Amino acid sequence: MPVQNLPAPSTPLLLLETRLGLEIAALALAYPRLRRTLPRGSGQPVLVIPGFGMSDRTIAPLLAALRRLGYAAHGWGLGRNLGMRRGVKEQLATRLRELHEQHTQPVTLVGWSLGGVFARELARHQAQYVRRVVTLGSPINGHPDANNMVTLFRLANRGQPVKTDLDGFARRIAPPPVPCTAVYTKTDGIVAWRACLEDPAPNTENVEVRGSHLGLPFNPQVLRVIVERLARAD
């Protein structure tokens, strides 16, 4: 599949990412209503993978909201996400297998930004342990440079230039063999929104929400999307 040449989000969109604080407050205000209207879980396991530069502490509000709704939500437990470094792939695969064994049922994977890329690859190689994948503003399509994260990657890797593996990226565009939901926002200032879409397939869907990229884990619309997919009888 060819790689499309998509531009990164514009500077005005990037500046709009500063509304994060308002979005966190919006989740707190909306949660009492959501708790009354969203489907309740019965302990279904969920593994949430944070975005680049983030950790389980960052996604703690999402984990807490899912747990209060009756889902067994877990962080990835690997500290700050600095990319696919040595040992991360194996540790994440082990984490998935352990959760599957603990709960005796397939695990739903929720990945924010780069975490969604990790989630899709986990599901691709260990589909027997995965119920479905939900990606939140993840760079899974288009072009690997269609984002404003390149500078952050360079800083995290001591100024080394970012190597763009176009062939590898193109191979990863096809969805894994499980139901996949891609959540995106057209006002994403970090990743080009078209790069966050799954290609049409029987097991894929794309769901638009309103908000910023950084605010996706704290977005009431996103919580509703995740919980409604968890409640589906696959």
Side-chain angles (χ1 to χ4, degrees):
M1 182 177 296
V3 174
Q4 304 173 40
N5 187 20
L6 293 177
S10 65
T11 298
L13 283 179
L14 181 59
L15 292 174
L16 277 176
E17 292 294 320
T18 56
R19 60 191 146 156
L20 172 62
L22 295 175
E23 291 174 317
I24 294 175
L27 177 60
L29 291 172
Y31 184 74
R33 175 179 53 82
L34 292 172
R35 192 170 185 176
R36 292 192 302 270
T37 59
L38 289 179
R40 299 286 301 182
S42 56
Q44 298 97 316
V46 186
L47 174 58
V48 183
I49 306 174
F52 179 75
M54 307 302 172
S55 68
D56 289 342
R57 293 183 63 181
T58 315
I59 56 173
L62 175 58
L63 295 172
L66 290 171
R67 289 167 185 159
R68 286 194 293 265
L69 288 166
Y71 300 94
H74 303 267
W76 79 328
L78 298 177
R80 195 172 297 279
N81 185 347
L82 295 177
M84 190 55 76
R85 299 183 172 222
R86 181 177 298 176
V88 169
K89 182 178 181 180
E90 293 76 14
Q91 290 175 293
L92 195 50
T94 299
R95 177 75 164 149
L96 173 61
R97 290 194 299 270
E98 289 175 347
L99 291 176
H100 180 270
E101 180 177 351
Q102 175 184 340
H103 295 281
T104 64
Q105 60 180 295
V107 180
T108 293
L109 304 179
V110 177
W112 174 28
S113 198
L114 181 62
V117 177
F118 289 5
R120 289 172 90 251
E121 291 311 296
L122 261 185
R124 193 184 312 280
H125 297 291
Q126 299 194 80
Q128 69 273 29
Y129 302 128
V130 178
R131 182 184 175 200
R132 63 169 54 246
V133 172
V134 181
T135 55
L136 311 179
S138 298
I140 58 176
N141 212 328
H143 194 283
D145 294 338
N147 59 75
N148 285 314
M149 296 190 298
V150 174
T151 300
L152 296 177
F153 274 110
R154 187 178 295 117
L155 290 172
N157 290 278
R158 301 179 181 178
Q160 295 296 318
V162 178
K163 296 180 180 179
T164 302
D165 180 6
L166 292 178
D167 291 337
F169 183 86
R171 287 193 299 270
R172 292 191 293 271
I173 289 176
V178 299
C180 295
T181 300
V183 177
Y184 69 98
T185 169
K186 289 185 177 180
T187 54
D188 194 316
I190 304 297
V191 181
W193 69 267
R194 290 180 179 84
C196 301
L197 304 181
E198 292 280 9
D199 284 339
N203 65 320
T204 66
E205 63 172 346
N206 298 303
V207 180
E208 182 182 0
V209 299
R210 297 181 299 277
S212 69
H213 179 92
L214 295 177
L216 285 170
F218 319 105
N219 189 316
Q221 298 172 73
V222 171
L223 180 60
R224 179 174 294 279
V225 170
I226 294 171
V227 171
E228 288 179 347
R229 271 63 187 175
L230 284 167
R232 285 180 177 175
D234 295 330

